[in-house]
Amino acid sequence: MSQSNATIARRYGKALFELAQEKQVLEDVQAELTALNQAFNEESQFMLFMTSPQITEDAKQAMLTTITVNLSPVTKNLVTMLYDYRRLVNFDGIVSEFNRLNDEYHKTVRATVTTAIELDDEQKDKLASSFANVVGANKVVVDTVVDESIIGGVILHSNSYIYDGSIKSKIEHIKRLLLK
């Protein structure tokens, strides 16, 4: 019976997180996973190369050796094991689950902030600090999006929280009230 991608990501991500935590290499492993995942996503032919039946095992092994040469033993073992079990295509999901668990462990919340204009660093820091107090996080990592259609204000979105303080939504609310 084959497992879903989500199940595989959860199991491997959790096991990897627990191992990295046990070996006290969480930050190193996260940095390596982020760099590898970015490289895999930027090089669209990599997964095709690693899964293609036309490519010899020796060529694939040489590629694995090249990309894992400077990695920590934990990350290197993960990549090798995923290749051996034909689960390298699940790498992105595994990294996402690892990052989710790591954020949970460090009480870090990731949020997307949408504004009508670009925010400077001080404004981002104030928003992150205020949001951290609201959700009880130690740290908030803010990803900003500029959307002029919201006119003004801010829309803040994280996994479990949405705050819409945009002028556009306030105008729509007033419009609905007037139409009643």
Side-chain angles (χ1 to χ4, degrees), residues 8-31 33 74-75 78 81 93-108 110:
I8 292 168
R10 271 193 309 275
R11 288 182 181 171
Y12 280 77
K14 183 179 181 197
L16 177 63
F17 176 78
E18 289 173 354
L19 179 64
Q21 188 179 28
E22 179 184 308
K23 299 218 180 253
Q24 300 178 350
V25 291
L26 275 174
E27 288 77 24
D28 294 340
V29 170
Q30 184 180 31
L33 291 175
V74 171
T75 308
L78 171 74
M81 181 178 62
I94 294 166
V95 172
S96 294
E97 179 64 10
F98 177 90
N99 287 336
R100 186 190 70 74
L101 292 168
N102 195 40
D103 286 349
E104 190 177 284
Y105 176 74
H106 288 103
K107 292 188 178 181
T108 299
R110 297 185 183 275

Side-chain angles (χ1 to χ4, degrees), residues 18-84:
E18 289 173 354
L19 179 64
Q21 188 179 28
E22 179 184 308
K23 299 218 180 253
Q24 300 178 350
V25 291
L26 275 174
E27 288 77 24
D28 294 340
V29 170
Q30 184 180 31
E32 291 174 343
L33 291 175
T34 300
L36 269 177
N37 203 33
Q38 183 178 358
F40 291 171
N41 288 330
E42 287 175 1
E43 188 52 58
S44 60
Q45 299 297 310
F46 174 75
M47 286 298 172
L48 185 62
F49 177 87
M50 295 304 288
T51 59
S52 174
Q54 285 84 19
I55 308 295
T56 66
E57 279 298 310
D58 289 341
K60 292 176 186 179
Q61 288 294 338
M63 175 65 78
L64 268 182
T65 301
T66 301
I67 63 172
T68 61
V69 69
N70 293 320
L71 298 178
S72 67
V74 171
T75 308
K76 185 176 188 172
N77 288 342
L78 171 74
V79 173
T80 303
M81 181 178 62
L82 291 176
Y83 173 74
D84 290 343

